[in-house]
Amino acid sequence: MGWELYFTAATAVVAVIFAGILSRKISSANTGNQEMQNIAEAIQDGAASFLKREYKILFVFVLIVSAILFIFIDLDVAEKYAGSYRLARLESLPAFTMSYILGAACSALTGYIGMNVAVRANVRTAAQAKEGLNKALNLAFSSGTVMGMSVVGISLIGIILVYGTFRSVEVLAAFAFGASSIALFARVGGGIFTKAADVGADLVGKVEAGIPEDDPRNPATIADNVGDNVGDVAGMGADLFESYSGSIIAAMSLVIVATLAWEGRPDYRILGYYPLLIMAIGVISSIFGTFLVRTKEDADMGTLLWALRKGIFGSGLFVVIGAFILTSQLDLDMNLLWVVIVGLVAGNIIGLATEYYTAYEYKPTQDLSAQAEAGAGPIIIGGLSVGMLSTVVPVLTLCAAIALTYNLAGLYGIALAAVGMLSTLGITLASDAYGPVADNAGGIAEQAGLPAEVRERTDALDSLGNTTAATGKGFAIGSAVLTALALMATYTQTTGITSVDLLNYKVLIGLLIGSLMPFVFSALTMGAVGKAAMAMVEEVRRQFREMPGIMNGTEKPDSNKAVDIATTGAIKEMMIPGVIAIATPIIVGIVLEAEALGGLLIGSIGSGALLALMMANAGGAWDNAKKFIELGNSGGKGSEAHKAAVVGDTVGDPFKDTSGPSINILLKLMAIVAVVFGPLFLSSPAVGGPPPGVGGPPAGISAPAADGPPPGVGGPPSAGSKRPASR
């Protein structure tokens, strides 16, 4: 390995060590009284039970996909032994299979680590909230930082292991495939669980029974707390792991595939490692940024937001400085630095726009709260309007970023912008992942009967978490668009497609199917939440009906039953959306061939980006509109406006925590499937060279003094073979 990989590996190890130090710090914190500990233990047991059952199912799924990869990619049975009954022999290590399994394992591991720390941090955050707001923020944020640093550290280690072993970006795509597979199921399954429990708790507890949120008398309260961890922590961790890995691999693919084999120009070799080096700088910058996150005890929402912004903006500044030094020392074109800056700026603009439409400090959410005074219908209509309008700034920002980066560095520039956008993921994920911990802390405080000021502090952190969660989803969706575009470019290189002709009826069919996929996927996941939620609602109603002593405190609700219902529903309902997401691009590729699959990817990116943004932001606006009312506005808790806002929040829950964030995984997963299986869909070798900006060096960077790339690199596939030559 070169120094680039060693340097990146060192920063990855530092990230993992930093996560370990913070984890020990969290474990040593005060756990509060015995009642708090009992509640926390119930949440831990429920979360562990769900994750164990989910991972058992995913283990079987990974084995099945691994077998398919082994037969059709590693053994290449279809190509080598078409029309023959001879036994295929493996000529080398099963690289694709091994890479896929490692990607899946790493994705699952990050989810497990994040959830394991979160379920220990929640009770400790509640205990810290008794002493002050800043202490509670610090501990909850430390928990989120463990997740952030684990994601970036494990991702970089996994990529380095795969590339260092096989020296193939094609094999790296299999790593991304494994990560995306687990991420999709984890996000969908966890999202179904958490929203089924949340809806059941809200509709029966708040609306029908008139009891507070997180009331210990509600059988769904523990399940709701469990859901925060399995969906918003474990699911989100796997989600952003695949976003981070996918952005790196997409950028490396576009450069290494086209230029790595050109001899005599080390600057072109370094371009392939440049994304890794930027991420390594981002790791160190994120660690520095975490020390900037502090607040004062009487902080309002604006002050809390600024506390997190200091860390995020500071990390971004460190990345720019580090990228400047790196680019200068490597004597690379400064256009690359500007691309990274564009990615960072675009990500922050999307985050700020999301914050404006979802935080209750701003007019859109406040107006939404006022609409609740007229009933559930107006607030639902208003929330949909807010969500749709909120797509304008992010989409225009992405358009500007794409135009700028393409003109600066070609398609490589677009991929590198996604890297820049996610370079500070270590801290941006921390600001997102801390939210469920604060939410759980508030639930524990309510159930344990802690003083009112404790719940006020945890509620302040929870409201902030809703905003940062929406911001984090904006980052993920924005980077997903850029990464999916880059992966599509990689797909065209893998298959040798020179263009995607929209006048070709097969391509048009593929485009329409691709545009349809986010809607079908969202319908399935929303329906899954509805089914699981109905089962939860009926169970809570049954317990209230058959156990009247629950309401007066003489009987304890059966929380385990509620957890089991949510678990069973989530496991059952998550499979169909996940399988469809993987099967559809393969079917389109087989039936309509490679160019039509390119159309599918284009359609999915266009409709998916808009739908994901709309759903995530509408859900966040509904949630914070409810919290704004609970602060005493528009009649406060228990008012008719509050009941209407709860209904809006109920609709918004699967929007923002199940369907919306899952769409960005869908876009990248279908693109990755296309890259991995693309060569199998070619009816004949492609004719012609690669499209502009794909097969050669990035725009704005001088071409090497050579006759051209070696065979199989940057041009059409070798004659007689559907798979390009090994890199």
Side-chain angles (χ1 to χ4, degrees), residues 478-490:
S479 66
V481 172
L482 299 177
T483 301
L485 285 172
L487 288 171
M488 184 177 172
T490 303

Side-chain angles (χ1 to χ4, degrees), residues 44-128:
Q44 290 177 40
D45 291 344
S49 175
F50 171 83
L51 216 60
K52 183 178 180 180
R53 290 172 64 177
E54 182 183 53
Y55 281 6
K56 279 183 178 179
I57 299 295
L58 293 183
F59 179 75
V60 176
F61 174 83
V62 168
L63 286 181
I64 294 171
V65 176
S66 297
I68 294 172
L69 284 171
F70 182 74
I71 293 170
F72 291 100
I73 304 298
D74 285 316
L75 288 179
D76 203 9
V77 171
E79 179 67 21
K80 293 179 182 175
Y81 298 94
S84 173
Y85 294 99
R86 290 182 296 167
L87 180 66
R89 294 183 179 180
L90 187 65
E91 298 175 357
S92 59
L93 288 173
F96 283 84
T97 305
M98 293 171 63
S99 182
Y100 173 81
I101 292 173
L102 181 62
C106 287
S107 183
L109 178 62
T110 56
Y112 173 79
I113 291 173
M115 190 208 72
N116 189 49
V117 173
V119 295
R120 289 187 286 118
N122 52 18
V123 67
R124 291 167 171 83
T125 299
Q128 292 296 318

Side-chain angles (χ1 to χ4, degrees), residues 119-372:
V119 295
R120 289 187 286 118
N122 52 18
V123 67
R124 291 167 171 83
T125 299
Q128 292 296 318
K130 294 167 68 176
E131 301 181 30
L133 182 64
N134 192 55
K135 287 187 175 182
L137 172 64
N138 184 267
L139 196 138
F141 187 77
S142 294
S143 174
T145 304
V146 173
M147 167 66 88
M149 291 300 154
S150 297
V151 165
V152 300
I154 294 173
S155 174
L156 291 174
I157 289 171
I159 289 172
I160 290 169
L161 282 175
V162 172
Y163 189 73
T165 302
F166 300 107
R167 294 286 173 166
S168 168
V169 290
E170 289 180 316
V171 175
L172 272 180
F175 180 89
F177 181 24
S180 295
S181 300
I182 296 299
L184 187 68
F185 285 110
R187 206 30 142 163
V188 171
I192 294 170
F193 183 110
T194 185
K195 295 306 109 180
D198 200 358
V199 169
D202 281 354
L203 286 184
V204 185
K206 282 185 173 182
V207 178
E208 295 182 9
I211 58 179
E213 186 174 5
D214 298 313
D215 193 294
R217 294 171 292 179
N218 193 330
T221 293
I222 292 294
D224 188 11
N225 295 148
V226 170
D228 290 335
N229 294 287
V230 301
D232 297 338
V233 179
M236 178 183 60
D239 176 356
L240 288 173
F241 176 89
E242 72 87 26
S243 295
Y244 191 81
S245 302
S247 68
I248 297 171
I249 291 168
M252 289 181 68
S253 297
L254 285 176
V255 174
I256 294 179
V257 165
T259 64
L260 183 60
W262 283 335
E263 301 293 337
R265 290 295 301 267
D267 54 326
Y268 283 92
R269 172 182 169 276
I270 202 66
L271 284 177
Y273 297 120
Y274 191 74
L276 282 172
L277 295 172
I278 291 296
M279 290 306 199
I281 293 170
V283 168
I284 303 301
S285 299
S286 295
I287 292 174
F288 287 150
T290 61
F291 294 102
L292 301 176
V293 179
R294 298 289 185 273
T295 191
K296 55 185 180 181
E297 289 305 320
D298 58 345
D300 56 14
M301 182 58 67
T303 304
L304 288 171
L305 279 170
W306 178 242
L308 294 182
R309 281 179 190 157
K310 283 189 298 183
I312 294 171
F313 292 166
S315 297
L317 180 60
F318 293 146
V319 167
V320 171
I321 295 171
F324 173 77
I325 296 171
L326 174 71
T327 309
S328 301
Q329 289 299 310
L330 296 177
D331 196 27
L332 295 175
D333 196 308
M334 280 297 168
N335 281 355
L336 300 180
L337 172 64
W338 284 111
V339 166
V340 173
I341 293 173
V342 168
L344 275 168
V345 172
N348 280 287
I349 291 174
I350 293 172
L352 291 172
T354 301
E355 180 185 310
Y356 174 74
Y357 282 102
T358 58
Y360 62 58
E361 281 213 327
Y362 301 107
K363 192 173 185 297
T365 299
Q366 292 177 3
D367 288 348
L368 198 59
S369 301
Q371 289 176 297

Side-chain angles (χ1 to χ4, degrees), residues 557-574:
D558 188 355
S559 299
N560 291 333
K561 180 65 175 176
V563 171
D564 184 67
I565 287 174
T567 300
T568 302
I571 298 295
K572 178 183 177 183
E573 299 293 341
M574 76 177 186

